[in-house]
Amino acid sequence: MKLSITLIFSLFFFFGSMAQSGTPKDYLSKEFHKERRDALRANMPANSVAVFFANPVRNRANDVDYVYHQDPNFYYLTGYKEPHAVLVIFSESQNVSEGKPYNEKLYVQQRNAQAEQWTGRRLGVEGAKTELGFDQAYNGSDFKNSGIDFASFDKVMYEDFRDDYRDTRNTADLYDLIQSFKTQIQYDNSFTITNTTNDVEVDSDSKVETVTVKKDTRTLSRLMAGLREVKTEEELLLLKKAVRISAMGQREIMKAMHPGMSETEVQGVHEFIYKTYGSEYEGYPSIVGAGNNGCVLHYIENTKMKVENDLVLMDLGAEYHGYTADVTRTIPANGKFTKEQKAIYDIVYKAQEAGIKATVIGNTMQSPDTAARKVVYQGLIDLGIAKNTTEARQYFPHGTSHHIGLDVHDPGTYGQLQANMVITVEPGIYIPIGSDCDPKWHGIAVRIEDDILITENGPVNLSAEAPRTASEIEKLMKEKSVLNRLELPSLD
Ligand code: GLY
Ligand code: MN
Ligand code: MN
């Protein structure tokens, strides 16, 4: 048996209309990133400076690194996708008396023909100017002589360093950039601002007379969360696309699913659909858990060789140009919910409906959780699975909502819901084998997760194209899938 040419063509035809041709043009614009920097600057304290570093390159094994992923704040503010870079944003214009004023500087990887032959084109200083719109762009090696007098600012804001970066032969890698930043801010004897109310505490070994730089590792995260939690129209285009692609993955697997599939294969179907629609990555490791495996909230092994007649919990999200969806469906592998599976499923569905109804402007980020939790607890008590809410809580051990965006768990201030926020509503019930209830419930795990846009006119379910009710799911599972005709040669 072999993969038929006809099938390849039909798959190509089937998805081809949605696929991109050439290089995608729908990235965030340089104007978007500039506008976001201006928005941050407007919220920065007077006479302050904010410093951002690119994400580290992470090693996978020997000379192979993980696929590089830019730090989301860095990407949001610059559009720069390469490692080994620093962004400096000043609250006010600098150098006003001496020359051309500036209020930001970007230090990037130097161009290098030999390196680029191996790992691809670098933007370099010129690219940072023309493609990203930075007037003040420099090579990373210039950062150690940046000329920035950090001691002259009332606050030097940055996010605390993670310690997972490596010193390489590159003399302007992230390690060197951070080292030279530490030198420039007199890292070892600076004031440390420990909270956001401007209390200042002197490091124990500091001498007040010699301390000059006031560093603040708290405020910046809060300022960035305040910006990123409300999406602009440009962001919403990408985020909606990521969510729709993910919903299409759920639809296709509903048609293709059968008890002989492995968890890995189920994962592969989703990810194949994502790529066919032009999504570059998954926004987080894909979760496909059959039966009891679904009770592990972030189960990513996906190694069960046959999903059999179990419920299959599938929590996956396509990442499109940096923006990630987060969508979960739970479906019966054989196309029909058992009585017990449906009883649990219907509670989670009703809880999600209540949660979605609560995603309205003026409510708090907590509101969907409160609404959903009430339904789950009552449902579990009514079925005799729990005697009271304390017992019920163990079967719904996670929160109901988080922001999505450049991160699957996007930063936010977790206060009031506002228009153009996009949050998940994802109640679940998980009854692991061995739970203190009738064994007929054991091994049932259900999560339903949708991505909800908050608007003046109420919640909009961006992932609604993936069926949610038990009957809609059973109906779609009866449809034929082109993927069922995919027959590969046996390797035995
Ligand atoms: N996929 C992780 C979550 O739902 O939060
Ligand atoms: Mn999820
Ligand atoms: Mn989620």
Side-chain angles (χ1 to χ4, degrees), residues 385-397:
I385 293 171
K387 286 194 276 302
N388 49 47
T389 54
T390 313
E391 270 189 33
R393 184 180 299 275
Q394 68 185 299
Y395 298 114
F396 181 12

mmCIF file with all atom_site columns, all heavy atoms in Angstrom, residues 385-397:
data_model
loop_
_atom_site.group_PDB
_atom_site.id
_atom_site.type_symbol
_atom_site.label_atom_id
_atom_site.label_alt_id
_atom_site.label_comp_id
_atom_site.label_asym_id
_atom_site.label_entity_id
_atom_site.label_seq_id
_atom_site.pdbx_PDB_ins_code
_atom_site.Cartn_x
_atom_site.Cartn_y
_atom_site.Cartn_z
_atom_site.occupancy
_atom_site.B_iso_or_equiv
_atom_site.pdbx_formal_charge
_atom_site.auth_seq_id
_atom_site.auth_comp_id
_atom_site.auth_asym_id
_atom_site.auth_atom_id
_atom_site.pdbx_PDB_model_num
ATOM 1   N N   . ILE A 1 385 ? -21.268 12.272 42.733 1.00 0.00 ? 385 ILE A N   1
ATOM 2   C CA  . ILE A 1 385 ? -19.809 12.086 42.640 1.00 0.00 ? 385 ILE A CA  1
ATOM 3   C C   . ILE A 1 385 ? -19.116 12.808 43.796 1.00 0.00 ? 385 ILE A C   1
ATOM 4   O O   . ILE A 1 385 ? -18.088 12.364 44.297 1.00 0.00 ? 385 ILE A O   1
ATOM 5   C CB  . ILE A 1 385 ? -19.303 12.590 41.264 1.00 0.00 ? 385 ILE A CB  1
ATOM 6   C CG1 . ILE A 1 385 ? -19.864 11.686 40.152 1.00 0.00 ? 385 ILE A CG1 1
ATOM 7   C CG2 . ILE A 1 385 ? -17.780 12.642 41.202 1.00 0.00 ? 385 ILE A CG2 1
ATOM 8   C CD1 . ILE A 1 385 ? -19.632 12.177 38.740 1.00 0.00 ? 385 ILE A CD1 1
ATOM 9   N N   . ALA A 1 386 ? -19.700 13.906 44.222 1.00 0.00 ? 386 ALA A N   1
ATOM 10  C CA  . ALA A 1 386 ? -19.165 14.641 45.378 1.00 0.00 ? 386 ALA A CA  1
ATOM 11  C C   . ALA A 1 386 ? -20.312 14.919 46.337 1.00 0.00 ? 386 ALA A C   1
ATOM 12  O O   . ALA A 1 386 ? -21.458 15.083 45.917 1.00 0.00 ? 386 ALA A O   1
ATOM 13  C CB  . ALA A 1 386 ? -18.543 15.955 44.923 1.00 0.00 ? 386 ALA A CB  1
ATOM 14  N N   . LYS A 1 387 ? -19.966 14.949 47.638 1.00 0.00 ? 387 LYS A N   1
ATOM 15  C CA  . LYS A 1 387 ? -21.021 15.201 48.629 1.00 0.00 ? 387 LYS A CA  1
ATOM 16  C C   . LYS A 1 387 ? -21.209 16.697 48.863 1.00 0.00 ? 387 LYS A C   1
ATOM 17  O O   . LYS A 1 387 ? -22.268 17.137 49.286 1.00 0.00 ? 387 LYS A O   1
ATOM 18  C CB  . LYS A 1 387 ? -20.669 14.514 49.942 1.00 0.00 ? 387 LYS A CB  1
ATOM 19  C CG  . LYS A 1 387 ? -20.857 12.983 49.869 1.00 0.00 ? 387 LYS A CG  1
ATOM 20  C CD  . LYS A 1 387 ? -20.838 12.315 51.226 1.00 0.00 ? 387 LYS A CD  1
ATOM 21  C CE  . LYS A 1 387 ? -19.438 12.015 51.725 1.00 0.00 ? 387 LYS A CE  1
ATOM 22  N NZ  . LYS A 1 387 ? -18.633 11.142 50.831 1.00 0.00 ? 387 LYS A NZ  1
ATOM 23  N N   . ASN A 1 388 ? -20.146 17.457 48.634 1.00 0.00 ? 388 ASN A N   1
ATOM 24  C CA  . ASN A 1 388 ? -20.212 18.904 48.897 1.00 0.00 ? 388 ASN A CA  1
ATOM 25  C C   . ASN A 1 388 ? -19.183 19.620 48.013 1.00 0.00 ? 388 ASN A C   1
ATOM 26  O O   . ASN A 1 388 ? -18.415 18.970 47.293 1.00 0.00 ? 388 ASN A O   1
ATOM 27  C CB  . ASN A 1 388 ? -19.937 19.186 50.383 1.00 0.00 ? 388 ASN A CB  1
ATOM 28  C CG  . ASN A 1 388 ? -18.668 18.454 50.833 1.00 0.00 ? 388 ASN A CG  1
ATOM 29  O OD1 . ASN A 1 388 ? -17.647 18.501 50.152 1.00 0.00 ? 388 ASN A OD1 1
ATOM 30  N ND2 . ASN A 1 388 ? -18.738 17.740 51.957 1.00 0.00 ? 388 ASN A ND2 1
ATOM 31  N N   . THR A 1 389 ? -19.170 20.950 48.098 1.00 0.00 ? 389 THR A N   1
ATOM 32  C CA  . THR A 1 389 ? -18.285 21.706 47.205 1.00 0.00 ? 389 THR A CA  1
ATOM 33  C C   . THR A 1 389 ? -16.810 21.439 47.507 1.00 0.00 ? 389 THR A C   1
ATOM 34  O O   . THR A 1 389 ? -15.975 21.461 46.608 1.00 0.00 ? 389 THR A O   1
ATOM 35  C CB  . THR A 1 389 ? -18.555 23.225 47.294 1.00 0.00 ? 389 THR A CB  1
ATOM 36  O OG1 . THR A 1 389 ? -18.458 23.602 48.644 1.00 0.00 ? 389 THR A OG1 1
ATOM 37  C CG2 . THR A 1 389 ? -19.924 23.574 46.757 1.00 0.00 ? 389 THR A CG2 1
ATOM 38  N N   . THR A 1 390 ? -16.498 21.168 48.766 1.00 0.00 ? 390 THR A N   1
ATOM 39  C CA  . THR A 1 390 ? -15.097 20.877 49.094 1.00 0.00 ? 390 THR A CA  1
ATOM 40  C C   . THR A 1 390 ? -14.646 19.625 48.356 1.00 0.00 ? 390 THR A C   1
ATOM 41  O O   . THR A 1 390 ? -13.550 19.585 47.781 1.00 0.00 ? 390 THR A O   1
ATOM 42  C CB  . THR A 1 390 ? -14.934 20.664 50.624 1.00 0.00 ? 390 THR A CB  1
ATOM 43  O OG1 . THR A 1 390 ? -15.612 21.717 51.281 1.00 0.00 ? 390 THR A OG1 1
ATOM 44  C CG2 . THR A 1 390 ? -13.482 20.610 51.041 1.00 0.00 ? 390 THR A CG2 1
ATOM 45  N N   . GLU A 1 391 ? -15.491 18.607 48.357 1.00 0.00 ? 391 GLU A N   1
ATOM 46  C CA  . GLU A 1 391 ? -15.142 17.381 47.619 1.00 0.00 ? 391 GLU A CA  1
ATOM 47  C C   . GLU A 1 391 ? -15.130 17.631 46.116 1.00 0.00 ? 391 GLU A C   1
ATOM 48  O O   . GLU A 1 391 ? -14.307 17.102 45.390 1.00 0.00 ? 391 GLU A O   1
ATOM 49  C CB  . GLU A 1 391 ? -16.170 16.289 47.932 1.00 0.00 ? 391 GLU A CB  1
ATOM 50  C CG  . GLU A 1 391 ? -15.798 15.446 49.126 1.00 0.00 ? 391 GLU A CG  1
ATOM 51  C CD  . GLU A 1 391 ? -16.735 14.238 49.276 1.00 0.00 ? 391 GLU A CD  1
ATOM 52  O OE1 . GLU A 1 391 ? -17.218 13.674 48.270 1.00 0.00 ? 391 GLU A OE1 1
ATOM 53  O OE2 . GLU A 1 391 ? -16.967 13.900 50.433 1.00 0.00 ? 391 GLU A OE2 1
ATOM 54  N N   . ALA A 1 392 ? -16.078 18.459 45.674 1.00 0.00 ? 392 ALA A N   1
ATOM 55  C CA  . ALA A 1 392 ? -16.198 18.700 44.227 1.00 0.00 ? 392 ALA A CA  1
ATOM 56  C C   . ALA A 1 392 ? -14.965 19.409 43.669 1.00 0.00 ? 392 ALA A C   1
ATOM 57  O O   . ALA A 1 392 ? -14.560 19.173 42.531 1.00 0.00 ? 392 ALA A O   1
ATOM 58  C CB  . ALA A 1 392 ? -17.454 19.516 43.934 1.00 0.00 ? 392 ALA A CB  1
ATOM 59  N N   . ARG A 1 393 ? -14.371 20.263 44.504 1.00 0.00 ? 393 ARG A N   1
ATOM 60  C CA  . ARG A 1 393 ? -13.245 21.088 44.051 1.00 0.00 ? 393 ARG A CA  1
ATOM 61  C C   . ARG A 1 393 ? -12.106 20.240 43.461 1.00 0.00 ? 393 ARG A C   1
ATOM 62  O O   . ARG A 1 393 ? -11.463 20.629 42.488 1.00 0.00 ? 393 ARG A O   1
ATOM 63  C CB  . ARG A 1 393 ? -12.717 21.911 45.241 1.00 0.00 ? 393 ARG A CB  1
ATOM 64  C CG  . ARG A 1 393 ? -11.608 22.889 44.922 1.00 0.00 ? 393 ARG A CG  1
ATOM 65  C CD  . ARG A 1 393 ? -11.188 23.636 46.182 1.00 0.00 ? 393 ARG A CD  1
ATOM 66  N NE  . ARG A 1 393 ? -12.310 24.401 46.726 1.00 0.00 ? 393 ARG A NE  1
ATOM 67  C CZ  . ARG A 1 393 ? -12.628 25.628 46.318 1.00 0.00 ? 393 ARG A CZ  1
ATOM 68  N NH1 . ARG A 1 393 ? -11.912 26.229 45.406 1.00 0.00 ? 393 ARG A NH1 1
ATOM 69  N NH2 . ARG A 1 393 ? -13.662 26.260 46.848 1.00 0.00 ? 393 ARG A NH2 1
ATOM 70  N N   . GLN A 1 394 ? -11.891 19.049 44.037 1.00 0.00 ? 394 GLN A N   1
ATOM 71  C CA  . GLN A 1 394 ? -10.751 18.223 43.563 1.00 0.00 ? 394 GLN A CA  1
ATOM 72  C C   . GLN A 1 394 ? -10.923 17.799 42.103 1.00 0.00 ? 394 GLN A C   1
ATOM 73  O O   . GLN A 1 394 ? -9.947  17.473 41.430 1.00 0.00 ? 394 GLN A O   1
ATOM 74  C CB  . GLN A 1 394 ? -10.589 16.983 44.445 1.00 0.00 ? 394 GLN A CB  1
ATOM 75  C CG  . GLN A 1 394 ? -11.744 16.007 44.287 1.00 0.00 ? 394 GLN A CG  1
ATOM 76  C CD  . GLN A 1 394 ? -11.686 14.825 45.227 1.00 0.00 ? 394 GLN A CD  1
ATOM 77  O OE1 . GLN A 1 394 ? -10.748 14.050 45.189 1.00 0.00 ? 394 GLN A OE1 1
ATOM 78  N NE2 . GLN A 1 394 ? -12.700 14.707 46.074 1.00 0.00 ? 394 GLN A NE2 1
ATOM 79  N N   . TYR A 1 395 ? -12.183 17.789 41.631 1.00 0.00 ? 395 TYR A N   1
ATOM 80  C CA  . TYR A 1 395 ? -12.418 17.355 40.245 1.00 0.00 ? 395 TYR A CA  1
ATOM 81  C C   . TYR A 1 395 ? -12.332 18.514 39.243 1.00 0.00 ? 395 TYR A C   1
ATOM 82  O O   . TYR A 1 395 ? -12.466 18.298 38.044 1.00 0.00 ? 395 TYR A O   1
ATOM 83  C CB  . TYR A 1 395 ? -13.790 16.676 40.144 1.00 0.00 ? 395 TYR A CB  1
ATOM 84  C CG  . TYR A 1 395 ? -13.898 15.435 41.002 1.00 0.00 ? 395 TYR A CG  1
ATOM 85  C CD1 . TYR A 1 395 ? -14.766 15.388 42.101 1.00 0.00 ? 395 TYR A CD1 1
ATOM 86  C CD2 . TYR A 1 395 ? -13.122 14.305 40.724 1.00 0.00 ? 395 TYR A CD2 1
ATOM 87  C CE1 . TYR A 1 395 ? -14.849 14.251 42.894 1.00 0.00 ? 395 TYR A CE1 1
ATOM 88  C CE2 . TYR A 1 395 ? -13.209 13.161 41.510 1.00 0.00 ? 395 TYR A CE2 1
ATOM 89  C CZ  . TYR A 1 395 ? -14.073 13.142 42.595 1.00 0.00 ? 395 TYR A CZ  1
ATOM 90  O OH  . TYR A 1 395 ? -14.153 12.009 43.367 1.00 0.00 ? 395 TYR A OH  1
ATOM 91  N N   . PHE A 1 396 ? -12.155 19.714 39.745 1.00 0.00 ? 396 PHE A N   1
ATOM 92  C CA  . PHE A 1 396 ? -12.014 20.895 38.870 1.00 0.00 ? 396 PHE A CA  1
ATOM 93  C C   . PHE A 1 396 ? -10.883 21.743 39.465 1.00 0.00 ? 396 PHE A C   1
ATOM 94  O O   . PHE A 1 396 ? -11.109 22.791 40.060 1.00 0.00 ? 396 PHE A O   1
ATOM 95  C CB  . PHE A 1 396 ? -13.345 21.662 38.837 1.00 0.00 ? 396 PHE A CB  1
ATOM 96  C CG  . PHE A 1 396 ? -13.370 22.899 37.970 1.00 0.00 ? 396 PHE A CG  1
ATOM 97  C CD1 . PHE A 1 396 ? -12.360 23.192 37.049 1.00 0.00 ? 396 PHE A CD1 1
ATOM 98  C CD2 . PHE A 1 396 ? -14.440 23.787 38.049 1.00 0.00 ? 396 PHE A CD2 1
ATOM 99  C CE1 . PHE A 1 396 ? -12.408 24.325 36.262 1.00 0.00 ? 396 PHE A CE1 1
ATOM 100 C CE2 . PHE A 1 396 ? -14.501 24.922 37.251 1.00 0.00 ? 396 PHE A CE2 1
ATOM 101 C CZ  . PHE A 1 396 ? -13.480 25.192 36.367 1.00 0.00 ? 396 PHE A CZ  1
ATOM 102 N N   . PRO A 1 397 ? -9.634  21.265 39.294 1.00 0.00 ? 397 PRO A N   1
ATOM 103 C CA  . PRO A 1 397 ? -8.534  21.858 40.059 1.00 0.00 ? 397 PRO A CA  1
ATOM 104 C C   . PRO A 1 397 ? -7.820  23.042 39.409 1.00 0.00 ? 397 PRO A C   1
ATOM 105 O O   . PRO A 1 397 ? -6.768  23.448 39.896 1.00 0.00 ? 397 PRO A O   1
ATOM 106 C CB  . PRO A 1 397 ? -7.555  20.678 40.197 1.00 0.00 ? 397 PRO A CB  1
ATOM 107 C CG  . PRO A 1 397 ? -7.786  19.856 38.967 1.00 0.00 ? 397 PRO A CG  1
ATOM 108 C CD  . PRO A 1 397 ? -9.213  20.081 38.532 1.00 0.00 ? 397 PRO A CD  1
#
